[in-house]
Amino acid sequence: MTEAYIIEINDRTAGIIKKDKRCFRFFSSEHLFDSLEGREFRSPRDAERAARALLSERPRPQG
């Protein structure tokens, strides 16, 4: 059975992670999260934290 999880941040789908033999691998679904593409994480929570960090680093629109 395949272990895969969707990573969502603030109603945005950042990507999915898929379990392989020793880690969870990230697959980006939005350009903002492309820097995480292929990266390995120990847990789904670690992947979510990394995606949240990317989103928080992004400049907020003024207006």
Side-chain angles (χ1 to χ4, degrees), residues 1-2 6-7 10-11 16 20-21 24-27 30-31 35 37 40 42 48 52 55-57 61-62:
M1 188 160 131
T2 301
I6 297 170
I7 303 295
N10 299 336
D11 295 329
I16 63 168
D20 69 19
K21 291 181 182 178
F24 288 89
R25 189 170 305 274
F26 190 92
F27 297 92
E30 189 176 323
H31 181 65
S35 63
E37 180 74 25
E40 297 176 352
R42 289 181 7 190
E48 181 183 347
R52 282 189 187 282
L55 191 59
S56 70
E57 291 171 3
Q62 295 184 8

Side-chain angles (χ1 to χ4, degrees), residues 7-20:
I7 303 295
E8 289 185 337
I9 310 297
N10 299 336
D11 295 329
R12 297 172 79 162
T13 303
I16 63 168
I17 54 170
K18 182 182 176 294
K19 176 82 169 155
D20 69 19

